[in-house]
């Protein structure tokens, strides 16, 4: 099964993300609000009937208003409560829509640095997703437009939490799934700090989850994959992978989100056998 890749073509007002020659997910759209080619990628924005606004990059779904909370809660709250991370300083790499940085601020982080390679993703999000991107107007958030791979190489011992909120391992995001990059993240973390990356669909994107696991295992003592359901991502079954030299120490005072709660905190680490086999 190849990775997501397809030019954006509206056919009779349907946007389709092609997963393979034989499989796609389609949304009927009311309107195309924007289509722009940047130095890095192509960004499209649609108004859909059932999922609110839909943001795509290079023809792949990045977020919809209807289900973005699942992704953003699971990338922030799950490692935060599983490792009992201090809400002090965090680094987000990618995440130009602002959802991850905004989630960290709502968890009480005092400083969030967000390094996004493409300023246009930020501008689109500020205009069309003002709530999601609210972190970019907050003085606790420092937005840097740069390549996260380059940025993290020169940082040491600075962050409690590093979150890689990236596109798929292609184009500018390819290096965000490399062993060298995870080692740089390890260096950017304070001792015992925690890293997390989105690691794609175990069903349709085995490359992403395998790269995240093998790379993180070279950099961290403990690595865990966890899963959740995101209806608009390929297969609907999504994974994240987190690593740390600390041990898990589930916080018992966790806050619930719309998706995340204490059952999810413990249950999301229980993996189907095929996922366990894939990452062992
Ligand atoms: N939630 C999304 C998903 O899994 O589909 C990811 C959302 S976020 C929009 C992904 C961001 O990563 C994009 O804005 C892209 O520009 C950014 N990105 C890709 N490669 C990057 C790099 N090397 N450094 C910093 N940001 C990068």
């Amino acid at each position: 099964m190849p990775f997501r890749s397809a030019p954006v073509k509206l056919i009779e007002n349907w946007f389709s993300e092609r997963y393979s020659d034989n499989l796609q997910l389609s949304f009927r759209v009311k309107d195309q609000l924007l289509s722009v080619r940047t130095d890095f990628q192509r960004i499209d924005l649609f108004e859909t009937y059932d999922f609110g606004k839909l943001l795509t990059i290079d023809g792949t779904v990045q977020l919809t208003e209807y289900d973005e909370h699942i992704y953003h809660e699971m990338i922030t709250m799950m490692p935060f409560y599983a490792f009992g991370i201090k809400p002090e300083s965090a680094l987000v790499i990618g995440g130009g829509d602002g959802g991850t940085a905004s989630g960290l601020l709502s968890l009480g982080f005092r400083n969030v640095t967000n390094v996004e390679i493409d300023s246009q993703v930020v501008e689109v999000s500020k205009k069309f997703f003002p709530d999601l991107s609210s972190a970019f107007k907050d003085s606790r958030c420092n937005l840097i437009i740069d390549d996260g791979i380059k940025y993290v190489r020169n940082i040491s011992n600075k962050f409690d939490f590093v979150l890689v909120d990236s596109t798929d391992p292609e184009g500018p995001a390819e290096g965000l799934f490399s062993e060298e990059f995870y080692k740089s993240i390890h260096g950017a973390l304070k001792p015992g700090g925690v890293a997390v990356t989105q690691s794609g669909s175990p069903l349709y994107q085995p490359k992403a989850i395998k790269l995240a696991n093998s790379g993180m295992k070279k950099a961290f003592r403990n690595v865990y994959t966890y899963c959740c359901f995101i209806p608009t991502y390929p297969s609907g079954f999504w994974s994240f992978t987190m690593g740390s030299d600390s041990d898990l120490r589930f916080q018992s005072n966790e806050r619930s989100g719309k998706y995340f709660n204490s059952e999810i905190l413990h249950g999301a680490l229980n993996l189907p056998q095929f996922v366990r086999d894939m990452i062992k």
Side-chain angles (χ1 to χ4, degrees):
M1 182 85 59
F3 279 99
R4 303 188 270 177
S5 65
V8 171
K9 247 196 297 179
L10 276 192
I11 300 174
E12 291 176 357
N13 284 348
W14 285 84
F15 161 76
S16 298
E17 178 175 339
R18 283 283 284 278
Y19 301 146
S20 76
D21 288 345
N22 312 308
L23 192 61
Q24 62 185 27
L25 176 69
S26 300
F27 302 76
R28 195 154 78 90
V29 305
K30 293 179 188 171
D31 206 1
Q32 178 154 15
L33 306 174
L34 178 121
S35 183
V36 58
R37 173 155 287 292
T38 73
D39 289 343
F40 301 98
Q41 51 214 354
R42 176 165 166 178
I43 306 173
D44 290 273
L45 187 70
F46 304 96
E47 185 69 56
T48 71
Y49 282 89
D50 297 333
F51 285 83
K53 290 191 194 69
L54 157 67
L55 177 73
T56 69
I57 291 184
D58 291 339
T60 68
V61 172
Q62 300 296 300
L63 67 90
T64 79
E65 286 179 311
Y66 177 69
D67 65 355
E68 59 73 23
H69 64 278
I70 306 175
Y71 179 91
H72 290 120
E73 287 176 13
M74 288 304 279
I75 198 170
T76 55
M77 296 171 97
M78 179 76 195
F80 180 67
Y81 289 115
F83 282 99
I85 303 170
K86 277 196 232 141
E88 284 174 7
S89 61
L91 169 66
V92 180
I93 292 172
D97 53 74
T100 297
S102 299
L104 290 169
L105 293 182
S106 72
L107 288 172
F109 275 81
R110 291 206 224 165
N111 298 293
V112 175
T113 301
N114 196 140
V115 182
E116 161 61 54
I117 203 165
D118 191 343
S119 63
Q120 300 259 36
V121 178
V122 174
E123 292 316 312
V124 169
S125 193
K126 280 185 179 164
K127 182 163 174 197
F128 292 98
F129 303 101
D131 291 341
L132 194 67
S133 62
S134 60
F136 297 143
K137 290 198 192 125
D138 191 302
S139 59
R140 293 169 294 170
C141 180
N142 176 24
L143 173 66
I144 296 172
I145 301 300
D146 201 354
D147 182 342
I149 301 168
K150 234 173 60 197
Y151 176 84
V152 85
R153 258 186 222 138
N154 304 315
I155 305 289
S156 74
N157 204 10
K158 184 167 178 187
F159 298 103
D160 299 290
F161 190 14
V162 175
L163 305 92
V164 186
D165 181 1
S166 70
T167 36
D168 297 332
E170 286 178 349
E174 197 169 355
L176 298 178
F177 287 79
S178 72
E179 187 183 315
E180 188 201 341
F181 176 65
Y182 296 127
K183 287 184 174 161
S184 303
I185 289 182
H186 184 272
L189 283 165
K190 294 179 192 164
V194 178
V196 64
T197 184
Q198 72 92 357
S199 46
S201 162
L203 285 161
Y204 292 0
Q205 303 170 317
K207 179 178 161 191
I209 189 170
K210 285 181 184 169
L211 283 175
N213 265 271
S214 58
M216 273 211 190
K217 281 175 186 162
K218 295 271 164 47
F220 295 97
R221 194 162 64 83
N222 297 310
V223 174
Y224 301 94
T225 285
Y226 58 95
C227 292
C228 68
F229 295 94
I230 304 178
T232 58
Y233 282 1
S235 83
F237 181 52
W238 206 250
S239 77
F240 298 86
T241 299
M242 56 188 178
S244 179
D245 292 341
S246 299
D247 295 324
L248 291 172
R249 53 184 189 101
F250 295 100
Q251 259 176 254
S252 55
N253 61 341
E254 76 281 346
R255 208 181 74 193
S256 294
K258 264 160 84 181
Y259 182 90
F260 179 84
N261 60 23
S262 68
E263 276 76 25
I264 295 286
L265 171 61
H266 295 273
L269 286 161
N270 294 322
L271 300 175
Q273 190 57 41
F274 83 94
V275 181
R276 293 172 77 173
D277 291 344
M278 199 177 261
I279 62 181
K280 74 181 175 209

